[in-house]
Amino acid sequence: MGPHPAVAAIRLAVRRVLHDVLTDLTDTPADPRTAAGTRPLVLVACSGGADSMALASALAFEAPKLGIRAGGITVDHGLQAGSDLRAAEVVTRMTALRLDPVESVAVRVGRDGGPEAAARDARYGALDEAADRLGAVAVLLGHTRDDQAETVLLGLARGSGIRSLSGMAEKSGGPGRGHRYRRPFLQLDRQTARKACMVQSLAVWDDPHNIDPAYTRSRLRHEGLPALEKALGKGVVEALARTAQLSRDDADALDAWAAEAETGVRDADGRLECAKLYALPPAVRRRVLRRAVVAAGSPAGSLFARHIEEVDRLITGWRGQGAINLPGRVEAQRQGGRLVIRQG
């Protein structure tokens, strides 16, 4: 008799991702971390919640069969009393699954961008540091299809365009890190992960922040999505997750088009020509402008659609307006038919 369907589903999802990790390793230049005789290390980021505990259990089961070492990291955000004790308990649970190495990393959460964004930045910073230090080739994250649906709705509310609607990628990573982060559960619902924990008798911790109405995502999870399902019927989560994938495909294609178009809208001195920018489709032109603004020193995370719309008006609604001030002390100005973007 095989495993419970929920357990089989999480294991299959992880197995597919691990095969993909191994394929990527064979397609990249040799790395001391994966030299002959050294088994590659894959980490799971585990909060102790149902999603990440299910992921940890599946990694512990599948990795040895593929010659992969499986470890785990839990991040103590220090936002609640006793968070250090809870992190220690998560370490104990991961160790019981025979993950090795296993670590708890404490972080200090700042205030930039609001509490949720600040916690996320601190968490990814800690995971990056741990992965670099331990030589991990990948870090698995427990985001589910439900998390993807919430991310799409949050992007829709921000009005930031198709890239926001594309949600979370199955693979992502910072500059020079390739596709470090992998999300095996984006096609699985939250209930499947919870069921997998229950049938395996895995203890889980439910973060009180997940039901705290002070947090936007919590309100969306417990009020917004249920209201949508009541009004539109079941299947909203699946439809939103599908929207994310379709939007990501479109956004990737437009990004590639913009990268190619950028070389054709510059003069011999490398300056952007307004007439050639005007001739581009709006979606492509705005991407070219965004690339140019980021290249000039504006932080990508601080650059919103409204900023690019202002710069775009220098091209499409030129009436002699002055320079546009952008995040990172970057300035965009039209001069003699050219768009000058520079850091002040």
PDB file of all heavy atoms in Angstrom, residues 21 32 35 47 60 76 99 139 166 175 179 228 286 290 293 302 335:
ATOM      1  N   VAL A  21      16.997  20.639 -10.097  1.00  0.00           N
ATOM      2  CA  VAL A  21      18.219  21.187  -9.495  1.00  0.00           C
ATOM      3  C   VAL A  21      19.441  20.439 -10.016  1.00  0.00           C
ATOM      4  O   VAL A  21      20.457  21.044 -10.404  1.00  0.00           O
ATOM      5  CB  VAL A  21      18.152  21.112  -7.952  1.00  0.00           C
ATOM      6  CG1 VAL A  21      19.520  21.416  -7.338  1.00  0.00           C
ATOM      7  CG2 VAL A  21      17.108  22.078  -7.410  1.00  0.00           C
ATOM      8  N   PRO A  32      33.159  24.250  -6.699  1.00  0.00           N
ATOM      9  CA  PRO A  32      33.794  23.475  -5.638  1.00  0.00           C
ATOM     10  C   PRO A  32      32.799  22.788  -4.721  1.00  0.00           C
ATOM     11  O   PRO A  32      33.075  21.750  -4.139  1.00  0.00           O
ATOM     12  CB  PRO A  32      34.605  24.537  -4.868  1.00  0.00           C
ATOM     13  CG  PRO A  32      34.822  25.635  -5.841  1.00  0.00           C
ATOM     14  CD  PRO A  32      33.619  25.644  -6.725  1.00  0.00           C
ATOM     15  N   ALA A  35      31.940  19.357  -6.303  1.00  0.00           N
ATOM     16  CA  ALA A  35      33.051  18.630  -6.891  1.00  0.00           C
ATOM     17  C   ALA A  35      32.842  17.127  -6.726  1.00  0.00           C
ATOM     18  O   ALA A  35      32.009  16.677  -5.953  1.00  0.00           O
ATOM     19  CB  ALA A  35      34.364  19.056  -6.204  1.00  0.00           C
ATOM     20  N   SER A  47       9.485  27.353   8.802  1.00  0.00           N
ATOM     21  CA  SER A  47       8.979  28.172   9.908  1.00  0.00           C
ATOM     22  C   SER A  47       8.367  27.318  11.010  1.00  0.00           C
ATOM     23  O   SER A  47       8.127  27.802  12.112  1.00  0.00           O
ATOM     24  CB  SER A  47       7.904  29.136   9.383  1.00  0.00           C
ATOM     25  OG  SER A  47       6.756  28.401   8.971  1.00  0.00           O
ATOM     26  N   ALA A  60      13.367  15.488   3.138  1.00  0.00           N
ATOM     27  CA  ALA A  60      14.104  14.470   3.892  1.00  0.00           C
ATOM     28  C   ALA A  60      13.906  13.081   3.279  1.00  0.00           C
ATOM     29  O   ALA A  60      14.821  12.250   3.293  1.00  0.00           O
ATOM     30  CB  ALA A  60      13.638  14.469   5.349  1.00  0.00           C
ATOM     31  N   ASP A  76      14.446  33.159  12.978  1.00  0.00           N
ATOM     32  CA  ASP A  76      13.795  33.760  14.146  1.00  0.00           C
ATOM     33  C   ASP A  76      13.734  35.264  13.923  1.00  0.00           C
ATOM     34  O   ASP A  76      14.734  35.955  14.013  1.00  0.00           O
ATOM     35  CB  ASP A  76      14.591  33.419  15.410  1.00  0.00           C
ATOM     36  CG  ASP A  76      14.056  34.122  16.643  1.00  0.00           C
ATOM     37  OD1 ASP A  76      12.934  34.679  16.582  1.00  0.00           O
ATOM     38  OD2 ASP A  76      14.763  34.129  17.676  1.00  0.00           O
ATOM     39  N   LEU A  99      17.316  15.791   8.871  1.00  0.00           N
ATOM     40  CA  LEU A  99      17.943  16.827   8.063  1.00  0.00           C
ATOM     41  C   LEU A  99      19.257  17.216   8.726  1.00  0.00           C
ATOM     42  O   LEU A  99      19.354  17.271   9.949  1.00  0.00           O
ATOM     43  CB  LEU A  99      17.032  18.053   7.963  1.00  0.00           C
ATOM     44  CG  LEU A  99      15.686  17.861   7.254  1.00  0.00           C
ATOM     45  CD1 LEU A  99      14.884  19.154   7.302  1.00  0.00           C
ATOM     46  CD2 LEU A  99      15.875  17.414   5.821  1.00  0.00           C
ATOM     47  N   VAL A 139      17.529  26.492  -2.181  1.00  0.00           N
ATOM     48  CA  VAL A 139      16.738  26.634  -0.958  1.00  0.00           C
ATOM     49  C   VAL A 139      15.275  26.466  -1.346  1.00  0.00           C
ATOM     50  O   VAL A 139      14.768  27.178  -2.222  1.00  0.00           O
ATOM     51  CB  VAL A 139      16.936  28.021  -0.303  1.00  0.00           C
ATOM     52  CG1 VAL A 139      16.076  28.148   0.955  1.00  0.00           C
ATOM     53  CG2 VAL A 139      18.403  28.261   0.028  1.00  0.00           C
ATOM     54  N   SER A 166       1.984  38.425 -12.031  1.00  0.00           N
ATOM     55  CA  SER A 166       2.636  37.145 -12.306  1.00  0.00           C
ATOM     56  C   SER A 166       3.028  36.405 -11.035  1.00  0.00           C
ATOM     57  O   SER A 166       3.507  35.275 -11.089  1.00  0.00           O
ATOM     58  CB  SER A 166       3.861  37.352 -13.201  1.00  0.00           C
ATOM     59  OG  SER A 166       4.849  38.112 -12.547  1.00  0.00           O
ATOM     60  N   PRO A 175      21.024  38.455  -7.984  1.00  0.00           N
ATOM     61  CA  PRO A 175      22.120  38.531  -8.949  1.00  0.00           C
ATOM     62  C   PRO A 175      23.275  37.618  -8.562  1.00  0.00           C
ATOM     63  O   PRO A 175      23.703  37.593  -7.408  1.00  0.00           O
ATOM     64  CB  PRO A 175      22.541  40.006  -8.884  1.00  0.00           C
ATOM     65  CG  PRO A 175      21.318  40.730  -8.392  1.00  0.00           C
ATOM     66  CD  PRO A 175      20.648  39.771  -7.443  1.00  0.00           C
ATOM     67  N   HIS A 179      19.133  30.365  -9.934  1.00  0.00           N
ATOM     68  CA  HIS A 179      17.798  30.056  -9.428  1.00  0.00           C
ATOM     69  C   HIS A 179      17.921  29.369  -8.066  1.00  0.00           C
ATOM     70  O   HIS A 179      17.574  28.197  -7.914  1.00  0.00           O
ATOM     71  CB  HIS A 179      17.041  29.171 -10.418  1.00  0.00           C
ATOM     72  CG  HIS A 179      16.692  29.886 -11.694  1.00  0.00           C
ATOM     73  ND1 HIS A 179      16.763  29.293 -12.936  1.00  0.00           N
ATOM     74  CD2 HIS A 179      16.276  31.152 -11.912  1.00  0.00           C
ATOM     75  CE1 HIS A 179      16.389  30.163 -13.854  1.00  0.00           C
ATOM     76  NE2 HIS A 179      16.098  31.298 -13.266  1.00  0.00           N
ATOM     77  N   LEU A 228     -14.654  36.489  -2.100  1.00  0.00           N
ATOM     78  CA  LEU A 228     -14.626  36.275  -3.543  1.00  0.00           C
ATOM     79  C   LEU A 228     -15.200  34.912  -3.911  1.00  0.00           C
ATOM     80  O   LEU A 228     -15.949  34.782  -4.891  1.00  0.00           O
ATOM     81  CB  LEU A 228     -13.188  36.388  -4.063  1.00  0.00           C
ATOM     82  CG  LEU A 228     -12.632  37.791  -4.275  1.00  0.00           C
ATOM     83  CD1 LEU A 228     -11.166  37.725  -4.677  1.00  0.00           C
ATOM     84  CD2 LEU A 228     -13.432  38.526  -5.345  1.00  0.00           C
ATOM     85  N   ARG A 286       7.677  51.406 -21.765  1.00  0.00           N
ATOM     86  CA  ARG A 286       7.784  51.579 -20.307  1.00  0.00           C
ATOM     87  C   ARG A 286       8.820  50.634 -19.702  1.00  0.00           C
ATOM     88  O   ARG A 286       9.496  50.988 -18.744  1.00  0.00           O
ATOM     89  CB  ARG A 286       6.408  51.380 -19.658  1.00  0.00           C
ATOM     90  CG  ARG A 286       5.467  52.565 -19.897  1.00  0.00           C
ATOM     91  CD  ARG A 286       4.253  52.483 -18.999  1.00  0.00           C
ATOM     92  NE  ARG A 286       3.366  51.386 -19.374  1.00  0.00           N
ATOM     93  CZ  ARG A 286       2.325  51.522 -20.196  1.00  0.00           C
ATOM     94  NH1 ARG A 286       2.049  52.701 -20.743  1.00  0.00           N
ATOM     95  NH2 ARG A 286       1.560  50.484 -20.488  1.00  0.00           N
ATOM     96  N   ARG A 290      12.073  51.746 -17.654  1.00  0.00           N
ATOM     97  CA  ARG A 290      12.360  51.197 -16.315  1.00  0.00           C
ATOM     98  C   ARG A 290      13.778  50.637 -16.253  1.00  0.00           C
ATOM     99  O   ARG A 290      14.499  50.850 -15.276  1.00  0.00           O
ATOM    100  CB  ARG A 290      11.338  50.114 -15.964  1.00  0.00           C
ATOM    101  CG  ARG A 290      11.407  49.672 -14.505  1.00  0.00           C
ATOM    102  CD  ARG A 290      10.365  48.613 -14.179  1.00  0.00           C
ATOM    103  NE  ARG A 290      10.233  48.442 -12.740  1.00  0.00           N
ATOM    104  CZ  ARG A 290      11.055  47.748 -11.981  1.00  0.00           C
ATOM    105  NH1 ARG A 290      12.105  47.157 -12.539  1.00  0.00           N
ATOM    106  NH2 ARG A 290      10.871  47.654 -10.679  1.00  0.00           N
ATOM    107  N   VAL A 293      16.173  53.527 -15.961  1.00  0.00           N
ATOM    108  CA  VAL A 293      16.138  54.186 -14.652  1.00  0.00           C
ATOM    109  C   VAL A 293      16.869  53.333 -13.612  1.00  0.00           C
ATOM    110  O   VAL A 293      17.645  53.849 -12.786  1.00  0.00           O
ATOM    111  CB  VAL A 293      14.676  54.458 -14.222  1.00  0.00           C
ATOM    112  CG1 VAL A 293      14.620  54.919 -12.774  1.00  0.00           C
ATOM    113  CG2 VAL A 293      14.048  55.505 -15.139  1.00  0.00           C
ATOM    114  N   SER A 302      12.002  50.138  -5.092  1.00  0.00           N
ATOM    115  CA  SER A 302      11.371  51.419  -4.747  1.00  0.00           C
ATOM    116  C   SER A 302      10.739  52.096  -5.956  1.00  0.00           C
ATOM    117  O   SER A 302      10.194  53.189  -5.843  1.00  0.00           O
ATOM    118  CB  SER A 302      12.414  52.365  -4.130  1.00  0.00           C
ATOM    119  OG  SER A 302      13.007  51.802  -2.991  1.00  0.00           O
ATOM    120  N   GLN A 335      16.035  66.553 -23.065  1.00  0.00           N
ATOM    121  CA  GLN A 335      16.932  67.607 -23.552  1.00  0.00           C
ATOM    122  C   GLN A 335      17.172  67.410 -25.044  1.00  0.00           C
ATOM    123  O   GLN A 335      17.787  66.424 -25.452  1.00  0.00           O
ATOM    124  CB  GLN A 335      18.277  67.573 -22.815  1.00  0.00           C
ATOM    125  CG  GLN A 335      18.190  67.881 -21.329  1.00  0.00           C
ATOM    126  CD  GLN A 335      19.546  67.785 -20.640  1.00  0.00           C
ATOM    127  OE1 GLN A 335      20.510  67.294 -21.215  1.00  0.00           O
ATOM    128  NE2 GLN A 335      19.621  68.266 -19.402  1.00  0.00           N
TER     129      GLN A 335
END
